Structure formats: structure tokens, C-alpha cells
Amino acid sequence: MANERVAVLGGTGPLGRGLGRRLALAGYEVVVGSRDAARAAAVADALRAATGMTIAGAENATALDGAAICVLAIPADGVETMLAALRPRLAGTLVVDVVVPLAMRDGVVEHAPPPGERSAGEMIQRLLPESTVVSAFKTVPAAVLDGPGATVEGDVLISGDDAGARARVATLVERIPALRAIDAGALRTVRAVEGITALLVNLNRRHHARTAVRILGL
Amino acid sequence: MANERVAVLGGTGPLGRGLGRRLALAGYEVVVGSRDAARAAAVADALRAATGMTIAGAENATALDGAAICVLAIPADGVETMLAALRPRLAGTLVVDVVVPLAMRDGVVEHAPPPGERSAGEMIQRLLPESTVVSAFKTVPAAVLDGPGATVEGDVLISGDDAGARARVATLVERIPALRAIDAGALRTVRAVEGITALLVNLNRRHHARTAVRILGL
């Protein structure tokens, strides 16, 4: 388990880089994936230098070689095209979706899944029918994950239709210090979780903060 | 301010009763409203006996007499009919909306505003164009509010298009011990807040808990 390989696709963006850093520090063998192999290698080098942990970089499809878990940290508007290409490579893989589609309307950041969709998590599961998709990490601030010494604090709501897969992701979450995993149940619960992301981004703008969320009473 | 009169319409339901109790303890002059005047009087009597505070009961329209603030705690499916009748009485009044439309689908509780609507808060503002609507208290567990000695803990997200009205509601929230008011901004942000309610209800069912929410980083 400790040496499990995790590919972080879109691992050069803020959230992907932060998750790569934290998962490497937690003992996972991390491969940073990017459309651009050179950019992936550069981010991997920087994270390796900063953490002293095992981190490689590769083009997205190559990054999946030998990976037990794929973290999908690509921008929301690139999901459909990218997953059409990667679907065969991702068959049978546990996919951790951290995508949140957001849009700004009249000064308010809103949860904005594509027309006909209710959430990124459900869309990704539909695009990857041979994979098990679990949504997580959607309410953790990227900037805090990617900070070198900062403590990441907050609850990670975990949504997915496969209870065993949710449990695997909960284990992964809780190997990151100060994060707590909360089993939210069926994948559809991610609709509300992605709404929380929009709310937190609005709070960040309004209050000049980096917010996360905690569920009281659990 | 301390003697401001607050009408709690739907004040005999769990959330309305809990808010009536807490607002009375906070020093507000509370009038419990119900479609049934006798039932309103009975709940007011019980709350008055339990708290020793000033609490009256009346039929909904009568409960609004002299009220500076109206808390709307009626069931989601009764909103349209009731507000059509009360709209003239509510003109110029600050309306605190605590309504959350929920529905159960395939074992998951979902945020379920009526067709064409995005949230109860926005619908209520549309139905009451001469009132100022502020949504609040949507993530506070009714059962905890209505418990006699229990501490109510959690953040209350406040959404509304009028900044002054949001500030008035924040004052009201923070007169209830251990609740913190968070200004979420425009009324549309209540969409995400009502989604949180659905998520919390699911967590309550899954984990046999009474959950509330806290925003970290503020």
C-alpha cells in the first residue's frame, strides 16, 4: 500500500501539483502527468527537490503505466476530449476526480457543469464506464496543498457509487496529515460538494481568505 | 433592537420552533405563526414555559402585526400559495428565508427546487418583490436548535442581494450563542447553501448524526 503508484493527470496545475506533493509526502509513488512531458518533468523535479520523495513526470498517457490510482486534476473544460482519448488506458483503474466546473456570472462564482450534466463527477463516470470514479478533494484549497510547510486542514467529502472504492480513497485522504475523510455516499452527492467549492471561492474573494470546510457533529 | 418583534411563520414545525426558542432566548419578542391559531398558541405556551421569555402565538397573517422581521419557516411545497396570500402584508418587511426544498431519489436526499427554480431563496424573493429576502439558518440542525439545553454550534451562511439586510440578519444570528454568521454575498449563493443542507441530511442518515457546517479559514 505504501508504495502504491498514483498518477496525477493535470499534475502541473495548482490543485494537481498540491495533491502530487501531499501524496508523495504520504508515501505514494507519484507520477505527475501533463499533456506536455517536459512540463511534467519540470514540475516533478521541483516537487522532488522540495520533498525528497519519489516523484516522476511524464505525458498523461505514459504517466498511467503501472498506476493503481489515477487522480484526475485537469481543467473542467478539457475533460471530455481528454477522457475520450484515455478511456481504454483507464479501464479498471480507480479514478479520483477532483474537477469542479465553475463559471463567473454577475460577479458570483457558480457551479457550472456543462449543459445536461449535474456534476463533473457524474459526467466523468459516464465518460469512463470501465473505471470506478470517486470524487474527492473538491473543497480543499489548492494554494494550501501546494504550500511547502502549511498544514492542510479540512474535511474531504468522498462521493462514489462503489463503497470499496470510497474506502480506498478515504485511506489515501487520511494519509495526508490534518485532512479528514467523510463518506458522503453515492456519486450524486458530489453535486452539492461541487456547489460548496463555488461557495468557498466566493467566500475567498469576499473575505480575502483561503477557506475549507468542516462538518460538525461527525 | 433587543425588543424587536420577530414573527416566525411556520413556527410550529421543527425548524420554526427551534428558531423561535433561540430568538426568544436572545431577547427578541417572538410571535409563533401557524395556519392554525390554536396550534400556534399551544407551541408559544410550551416555549414560553420552557424559556421564560416573551413568546406569543397567532395565525400567520396576524403574527406579522408589528413584526420588524419575518422568519419564513414553512414547508417548501407550501411557499407559493402562502406567499401569494401574504405578499401585501410582507411588503417592506425583512424576510428571513430558512426554507430548503428537498426530495429523496434512489435513496439520496437531493436539493429539489421546483421546475424552473434554482433555489428557495430566489423563488421567495421573486414571489415577494416588495420585501427584502435574506436566506439564512439553512445548515443548522432543527433538532439541536429545539433542544432545551443543547449548544447550537455552526456557521450560518447569509445570502441576499441587499448588504444592509444581510448585516441585520448577521446581527440576529450572532445573538444566538455559538452560531457564527458568514456573509456569503448575493442571494444566488444560496443555491450552494441549500445543496449543503441536502448533503448534511444525507450525512445524518449515513452516519446517524446531527451535522452542521463550519467554514475554516475565516
Side-chain angles (χ1 to χ4, degrees), chain A:
Chain A
M1 178 63 95
N3 286 15
E4 222 168 9
R5 185 177 294 184
V6 179
V8 183
L9 306 196
T12 58
L15 184 54
R17 209 167 50 221
L19 287 171
R21 175 194 290 269
R22 299 293 166 175
L23 293 172
L25 287 169
Y28 289 94
E29 192 186 318
V30 169
V31 185
V32 172
S34 169
R35 281 174 300 185
D36 178 346
R39 193 157 147 62
V43 167
D45 287 350
L47 287 178
R48 198 166 49 238
T51 62
M53 307 305 283
T54 307
I55 307 177
E59 190 275 332
N60 280 322
T62 312
L64 290 169
D65 286 346
I69 299 176
C70 166
V71 175
L72 206 61
I74 62 180
D77 55 13
V79 164
E80 197 139 9
T81 310
M82 184 166 167
L83 295 188
L86 291 178
R87 175 176 165 180
R89 294 297 298 264
L90 287 167
T93 301
L94 173 58
V95 173
V96 181
D97 146 54
V98 307
V99 177
V100 184
L102 297 175
M104 170 78 83
R105 291 195 192 111
D106 301 329
V108 175
V109 174
E110 294 185 353
H111 179 218
E117 303 286 349
R118 299 292 298 270
S119 67
E122 290 162 287
M123 181 175 74
I124 289 167
Q125 179 67 83
R126 185 176 56 68
L127 293 168
L128 297 175
E130 301 88 9
S131 307
T132 304
V133 174
V134 173
S135 296
F137 293 111
K138 302 210 174 192
T139 62
V140 180
V144 175
L145 280 173
D146 201 28
T151 304
V152 190
E153 209 195 0
D155 286 341
V156 174
L157 292 149
I158 297 178
S159 310
D161 288 334
D162 183 296
R166 292 198 307 270
R168 277 181 76 192
V169 176
T171 300
L172 182 143
V173 167
E174 298 211 324
R175 289 180 68 186
I176 300 177
L179 285 186
R180 179 173 66 153
I182 294 183
D183 185 353
L187 187 56
R188 280 171 305 142
T189 60
V190 77
R191 296 173 189 176
V193 180
E194 294 180 15
I196 295 177
T197 311
L199 189 73
L200 296 181
V201 173
N202 281 312
L203 293 176
N204 292 349
R205 290 164 45 87
R206 170 169 293 278
H207 301 284
H208 308 290
R210 285 173 180 176
T211 56
V213 76
R214 169 151 303 156
I215 305 298
L216 305 179
L218 288 184

